Amino acid sequence: MYRYLEHRLAQRIVEFLHQRYPDATLPKVVIEQPPKVELGDFAIPVFPFAKPLRTAPLKIAETIRAGVGPIEGIAGMQVAPPGYLNVKIDRGWMAAALAADRKLPADIPTGKILVEHTSINPNKAAHIGHLRNAVLGDTFVRLLRYAGREVDIQNYIDNTGVQVADVVVGFTHIEKKSRAEIEALAREPRFDYYCWDLYARVSQWYEQDKQNLQARAQTLRGIEDATSEIAAIAELISTAVLRRHLETMDRLDIEYDFLPRESEILHLHFWDAAFIKLKDSGVLTFESEGKNKGCWVMRRAGTAATVEDTGNAEESEKISEEDQKVIVRSNGTVGYVGKDIAYHMWKFGLLGRDFAYRRFYRYPNQHDCWISSVEGEKDHPHFGDVAEIYNVIDARQSEAQNTVIEALRGLGHNEAADHYTHFSYEMVALTPRCAAELGYRLSEEDKTRAYIEVSGRKGFGVKADDLLDQLIASAKSEVDSRHPQLTDAERRAIATQIAIGALRYFMLKFTKQSVIAFDFKEALSFEGETGPYAQYAVVRASSIFKKAAIDPDTFCRDAASTVSAGELAKCLAGDSADEIGGNVIWELWLAASKTSYLVDQCIATTEPAYLAKHAFQLAQLFNTFYHRHPILSETDEPRKQFLLATVAVVRRELIRTLAVMGITVPPVM
């Protein structure tokens, strides 16, 4: 609702100014939020119009106020020095539309969006850092779908890389296990935990004697030969670990549509097709001398020379060794970035090749997750050939991501490059308190640090399943003490909702470029900016209707007919904080109207933290309202119905906001 009014207001002002100044080139109308609601609900600075219109800002503001005419949902405008238009929303109109849950027109772009996230190396158990990627990616998918977009969710599986090779080395060189013995282990419930420990042992083995690294090189070559025993063992290990990853993410209600694997990119010759295009277009050049002799290289992103720089057109095409990114090594093997270029050409439908597909994993809701294959099933969904791509990959991969984008540009696919977004984020660490609670021994120096970094190669970190188990156990202890009358199964289900809500909210409340130091006590707190705090606000709202023996969903649907627009306007009038309406409750209604507005903001900035902040602020405003107004004991019936309508609308919008964050609300807290 708020988004619709903002868009409509800007549109009408532009239309008016175009009519009044037909020859002027107008800047974009910027709409801000005033510092106080008493000043208005929108603030429009008109300074940018002063120069193109050759008129003082105050005069422009007054011209707009006097001439723009009535706008649906807008009550009035006031001019404020030195050059602002303060705009007030028609409170009755807004509240009636919000209560009726009116679906107002919105422009939804066409074309399918692909979001790639999680992308864990299938060599060991998922850890806390992977959870940040998965929660960010899953929430972004939910944001896009809330906004009406069609989305495919992909989880790229690097099953031929160094990390998988190292676990194969551990099984074959350190533990000397046969393929049959590994297969038996892979059937165990926590095979990914076994691989976690083995991966750390392999790293130690390499450090003991650098000659041991030869085993890695031999294993990598074996993995690329689809007919070898080593390739079969790698397939066995990576597939078993991948299945465990999907089970772990399923606990957080995180699903995928398709799992493209690097092995098929190799075996189906995706790279060969891309290599020809890259050579023919001049994106790749062959080095015949220097440190990269025998390699195929491309220019690093951001280092392009121009004729103006060199004074020579031919010289500007040359790439210095410092600016070279090796794509194909001198031994003929292609690096990670090269395979990634081929993969992204497929994503955009630019490669001329496709995977084969087979079903791999079925979720409890019967949704099928597909996996790439050399030979697959005849009937399958259509993947790839998308309009936009968002890759959720940590900030350390920025150079590789930019290289892929520059390769697309070099191939002439500028539109694809413009619709390719690296959704980057920073790492997750642990507070010293959290590390100690998980059983890690800390030095005196560790105890004074802001956070403790994790390392998979050293075996130091928090496995995702262990973290979830610990959170659920901590939440259940609290639920057990508060609700002993419930069955153990009911208390566990509630604890699981609280734990998952706490974890997801904690991962989302920090801006994605912030390092997170995870802490159990902070995440599970019922106070402050946490998931349980927002969940508790909904539980409180629901309890009001439960005590009144009213179904909240039915009441919310009928609120528009129960409370008239006139009554809503009357109750929301006034500026006194002591009045039942006034600005205090209006701020609550105004905040409730901003869900779609915040969703759009999150998508435009690839920053889900704004939605977490919205949920917290809405919960805060509701709790203030809850403590100030004894709703069920209100004797004035029209006023009581208005208060109940307020609760119903806020409850609905909080549930929706939390759902976009992947958080459900338990019946009690």
Side-chain angles (χ1 to χ4, degrees):
M1 203 61 57
Y2 186 88
R3 177 186 63 170
Y4 169 80
L5 281 183
E6 184 188 59
H7 174 74
R8 186 73 184 119
L9 177 62
Q11 185 182 46
R12 285 294 300 276
I13 289 174
V14 168
E15 289 171 355
F16 170 73
L17 290 176
H18 272 306
Q19 291 171 357
R20 185 70 180 253
Y21 305 95
D23 298 326
T25 301
L26 299 177
K28 181 180 179 182
V29 174
V30 174
I31 297 183
E32 301 173 351
Q33 297 181 33
K36 295 180 180 179
V37 73
E38 290 87 349
L39 298 174
D41 305 303
F42 299 115
I44 304 173
V46 297
F47 313 106
F49 295 91
K51 187 174 181 180
L53 300 184
R54 299 179 182 180
T55 307
L58 273 176
K59 187 173 181 181
I60 296 171
E62 179 57 38
T63 300
I64 295 172
R65 186 202 67 77
V68 74
I71 302 173
E72 182 186 35
I74 300 299
M77 299 181 184
Q78 291 181 334
V79 176
Y84 281 92
L85 267 175
N86 288 336
V87 182
K88 292 194 174 185
I89 291 172
D90 182 333
R91 296 182 179 185
W93 181 93
M94 166 75 91
L98 189 60
D101 201 16
R102 282 178 58 188
K103 304 301 181 187
L104 296 168
D107 294 327
I108 300 174
T110 58
K112 186 163 62 174
I113 297 176
L114 189 159
V115 177
E116 178 194 323
H117 68 81
T118 309
S119 303
I120 310 171
N121 291 312
N123 67 320
K124 60 179 173 32
H127 60 62
I128 189 171
H130 298 136
L131 289 181
R132 186 176 196 187
N133 183 308
V135 169
L136 281 171
D138 179 67
T139 302
F140 198 67
V141 168
R142 293 169 185 264
L143 284 161
L144 289 167
R145 288 179 171 166
Y146 185 93
R149 301 301 302 273
E150 181 186 2
V151 187
D152 266 359
I153 314 163
Q154 296 191 9
N155 177 359
Y156 181 77
I157 310 301
D158 183 1
N159 61 337
T160 66
V162 169
Q163 288 78 9
V164 170
D166 284 348
V167 177
V168 174
V169 167
F171 278 116
T172 57
H173 287 73
I174 297 177
E175 297 198 334
K176 310 290 185 184
K177 292 193 182 295
S178 67
R179 179 176 169 184
E181 290 173 319
I182 299 169
E183 190 170 3
L185 277 171
R187 288 193 290 267
E188 295 295 318
R190 295 224 158 166
F191 177 65
D192 54 337
Y193 278 44
Y194 188 100
C195 292
W196 175 288
D197 296 332
L198 182 58
Y199 183 63
R201 287 169 55 198
V202 172
S203 297
Q204 295 166 4
W205 187 62
Y206 289 153
E207 291 175 2
Q208 291 166 7
D209 186 349
K210 296 301 180 185
Q211 293 289 8
N212 291 337
L213 285 167
Q214 293 179 7
R216 173 194 277 174
Q218 293 168 358
T219 301
L220 280 168
R221 286 194 292 271
I223 288 174
E224 291 196 7
D225 179 3
T227 63
S228 72
E229 179 73 2
I230 288 296
I233 291 173
E235 165 79 5
L236 169 65
I237 294 168
S238 62
T239 301
V241 171
L242 172 58
R243 193 171 292 277
R244 280 290 303 119
H245 288 169
L246 297 189
E247 291 168 352
T248 298
M249 297 305 164
D250 197 12
R251 296 180 70 183
L252 289 161
D253 195 24
I254 295 174
E255 298 182 353
Y256 312 93
D257 299 316
F258 177 49
L259 310 171
R261 296 188 297 181
E262 189 166 288
S263 53
E264 276 69 58
I265 288 176
L266 291 171
H267 300 151
L268 294 172
H269 306 290
F270 276 30
W271 166 246
D272 295 340
F275 191 28
I276 293 170
K277 293 177 184 288
L278 291 164
K279 286 190 297 183
D280 290 348
S281 63
V283 174
L284 292 186
T285 58
F286 184 76
E287 286 298 297
S288 56
E289 57 185 24
K291 69 176 183 179
N292 292 328
K293 182 179 179 180
C295 300
W296 287 90
V297 303
M298 66 175 284
R299 188 182 294 279
R300 289 184 184 275
T303 64
T306 66
V307 175
E308 288 75 14
D309 295 331
T310 63
N312 184 291
E314 184 177 344
E315 187 69 23
S316 69
E317 295 300 318
K318 295 180 180 179
I319 311 172
S320 68
E321 288 187 353
E322 293 73 23
D323 294 342
Q324 290 175 358
K325 176 69 176 178
V326 174
I327 303 300
V328 182
R329 306 179 188 95
S330 58
N331 63 5
T333 59
V334 58
Y336 162 77
V337 175
K339 288 175 278 191
D340 211 28
I341 292 169
Y343 171 43
H344 283 86
M345 290 173 68
W346 167 82
K347 284 183 177 181
F348 279 118
L350 304 172
L351 192 63
R353 292 176 184 263
D354 198 4
F355 295 103
Y357 304 88
R358 60 182 175 84
R359 289 178 178 84
F360 182 75
Y361 188 89
R362 176 161 286 184
Y363 294 98
N365 63 4
Q366 303 306 301
H367 174 66
D368 283 323
C369 177
W370 295 73
I371 196 167
S372 63
S373 179
V374 175
E375 295 181 0
E377 299 177 34
K378 183 178 179 181
D379 296 321
H380 59 80
H382 178 70
F383 298 108
D385 194 19
V386 298
E388 297 177 57
I389 293 171
Y390 291 88
N391 281 346
V392 185
I393 306 174
D394 74 48
R396 292 169 294 182
Q397 297 297 319
S398 292
E399 183 185 353
Q401 289 291 293
N402 288 334
T403 300
V404 175
I405 292 171
E406 289 308 308
L408 290 170
R409 292 198 188 282
L411 289 165
H413 302 303
N414 287 316
E415 185 176 357
D418 290 341
H419 289 92
Y420 180 129
T421 301
H422 175 201
F423 189 123
S424 66
Y425 64 93
E426 283 293 344
M427 70 173 182
V428 181
L430 307 174
T431 62
R433 178 173 63 185
C434 183
E437 288 175 350
L438 288 162
Y440 290 106
R441 292 184 180 181
L442 304 179
S443 66
E444 290 303 314
E445 183 183 356
D446 287 337
K447 294 176 184 177
T448 63
R449 291 180 178 175
Y451 57 82
I452 308 294
E453 291 189 38
V454 299
S455 170
R457 285 200 173 274
K458 295 178 182 178
F460 178 74
V462 183
K463 301 179 188 72
D465 282 307
D466 285 350
L467 177 62
L468 282 166
D469 291 342
Q470 182 87 3
L471 283 167
I472 292 169
S474 297
K476 188 170 184 297
S477 176
E478 185 70 23
V479 175
D480 286 346
S481 66
R482 294 186 180 210
H483 303 285
Q485 77 283 4
L486 300 177
T487 67
D488 186 69
E490 288 171 329
R491 294 196 304 271
R492 175 163 291 279
I494 292 166
T496 299
Q497 286 179 285
I498 294 171
I500 290 173
L503 176 60
R504 292 190 67 123
Y505 193 97
F506 197 92
M507 291 295 181
L508 292 168
K509 75 174 182 176
F510 299 95
T511 57
K512 55 187 176 26
Q513 298 307 329
S514 304
V515 174
I516 291 180
F518 188 82
D519 186 88
F520 282 111
K521 186 175 181 180
E522 182 182 349
L524 282 169
S525 174
F526 278 40
E527 299 298 326
E529 193 175 351
T530 67
Y533 179 80
Q535 288 172 313
Y536 192 44
V538 179
V539 171
R540 270 183 165 168
S542 299
S543 71
I544 293 171
F545 288 100
K546 185 176 181 181
K547 289 175 183 176
I550 300 171
D551 178 70
D553 296 317
T554 302
F555 185 90
C556 194
R557 281 196 304 271
D558 298 340
S561 57
T562 303
V563 186
S564 68
E567 188 64 35
L568 289 169
K570 176 184 173 183
C571 291
L572 288 169
D575 294 328
S576 171
D578 295 326
E579 293 176 12
I580 184 172
N583 291 330
V584 173
I585 299 183
W586 170 239
E587 285 186 38
L588 181 56
W589 279 81
L590 192 61
S593 74
K594 293 182 179 179
T595 304
S596 293
Y597 171 80
L598 266 299
V599 166
D600 283 354
Q601 188 179 30
C602 291
I603 293 170
T605 59
T606 60
E607 184 53 88
Y610 296 132
L611 196 67
K613 183 68 69 176
H614 173 61
F616 174 58
Q617 291 175 341
L618 193 53
Q620 268 189 318
L621 287 167
F622 174 75
N623 285 332
T624 299
F625 162 83
Y626 175 87
H627 288 297
R628 181 171 293 180
H629 301 291
I631 299 165
L632 297 181
S633 59
E634 174 60 56
T635 55
D636 184 308
E637 189 58 30
R639 182 175 288 187
K640 180 178 181 179
Q641 291 299 311
F642 165 74
L643 291 174
L644 284 171
T646 302
V647 176
V649 167
V650 173
R651 175 184 176 274
R652 181 192 70 205
E653 294 305 313
L654 255 178
I655 289 172
R656 284 177 175 172
T657 300
L658 291 174
V660 176
M661 297 169 66
I663 298 171
T664 59
V665 179
V668 295
M669 294 284 282

